[in-house]
Amino acid sequence: MFSGEHFLNKTEGTEQEFKIEKLFIHPKYNNETQDNDVALIKLNRTATLNNRVNTICLPEDSFHFPPGTRCTISGFGTTAWMGSTSNVLMQAEVPIVSMKLCSHEASYGDKITENMICAGMRKGGVDACQGDSGGPMVCKNPANPKQWVLTGVTSWGEECATALKYGVYAKVKNYLPWINLLTGNMPTSSPEPSGRTTLPSEVPPPLPSGLPPVPEASPSPPPPASITPTPATN
């Protein structure tokens, strides 16, 4: 696997290659319901941090991301349902959706569990898609807007960018005890518990896509686009 990758079809000299030393799949992962759809990977060596490769915060227990909070998703997945994957890293901005809306009968009903968080546009048009699973959903730290927090892990959805069929993400905050147990980083009473890695303030956050929100009233169905075709900026 690689970090520092931006263009898949050419070598930029910023890539770092790793082997997977250990893979930890959540013991309660359910392949049918996609509940607990999260895993940890231990690399065979330490990454070199630079302007292309860096760490990100884990959420604190007290962090709250209410519906409407705009977060950033990214990946190399398809740009449309059953379409072609992208050779350049894509990113998009999506708002968090309430559990009430996401579990509505017109959306996913009882398929949504407390371990999931939904994000996307009611009218569709912007979403993660095939091949983006396992990628990050990052939101600004509510206590420090200069930091970004790994709030969700791209999990599943019905097709891509379809109206009322939001993207569904594993809720990272629910897995802090499991993550700390595996990494050996147990919470403390200090202001910044060990194991909760933070982004240095001088590292610029990922840029949003810049696309305007899809209007609430649309005369025509949204295009079947997934992550917006705007290259991510490092």
Side-chain angles (χ1 to χ4, degrees), residues 109-125:
D110 59 6
K111 294 180 181 179
I112 302 302
T113 75
E114 62 179 10
N115 297 315
M116 301 173 185
I117 184 171
C118 301
M121 311 299 295
R122 184 170 66 86
K123 295 294 184 181

Side-chain angles (χ1 to χ4, degrees), residues 125-140:
V126 183
D127 198 5
C129 206
Q130 295 163 298
D132 290 322
S133 296
M137 179 174 76
V138 298
C139 312
K140 287 186 178 180

Side-chain angles (χ1 to χ4, degrees), residues 54-58 147-148 185 192-199:
N54 216 303
T55 55
I56 192 167
C57 308
L58 287 175
Q147 293 178 333
W148 290 76
N185 296 313
E192 294 207 358
S194 61
R196 308 287 179 83
T197 309
T198 57
L199 277 174

Side-chain angles (χ1 to χ4, degrees), residues 43-180:
L43 303 179
N44 66 319
R45 63 185 180 88
T46 303
T48 300
L49 302 185
N50 52 43
N51 64 346
R52 285 288 187 96
V53 179
N54 216 303
T55 55
I56 192 167
C57 308
L58 287 175
E60 300 285 348
D61 291 330
S62 60
F63 286 0
H64 177 57
F65 300 97
T69 301
R70 303 193 71 84
C71 303
T72 299
I73 54 177
S74 57
F76 291 97
T78 62
T79 54
W81 174 247
M82 300 298 290
S84 300
T85 56
S86 175
N87 284 321
V88 61
L89 181 63
M90 296 290 181
Q91 68 179 34
E93 189 177 81
V94 289
I96 289 178
V97 175
S98 70
M99 289 288 287
K100 181 178 180 180
L101 286 179
C102 198
S103 59
H104 189 277
E105 60 180 9
S107 188
Y108 293 123
D110 59 6
K111 294 180 181 179
I112 302 302
T113 75
E114 62 179 10
N115 297 315
M116 301 173 185
I117 184 171
C118 301
M121 311 299 295
R122 184 170 66 86
K123 295 294 184 181
V126 183
D127 198 5
C129 206
Q130 295 163 298
D132 290 322
S133 296
M137 179 174 76
V138 298
C139 312
K140 287 186 178 180
N141 182 340
N144 182 358
K146 292 183 179 180
Q147 293 178 333
W148 290 76
V149 176
L150 181 62
T151 308
V153 177
T154 305
S155 181
W156 63 280
E158 187 171 314
E159 297 191 1
C160 307
T162 303
L164 296 177
K165 301 298 182 180
Y166 307 101
V168 185
Y169 304 80
K171 188 184 298 182
V172 174
K173 187 167 68 171
N174 286 13
Y175 300 100
L176 292 179
W178 181 67
I179 293 170
N180 287 324

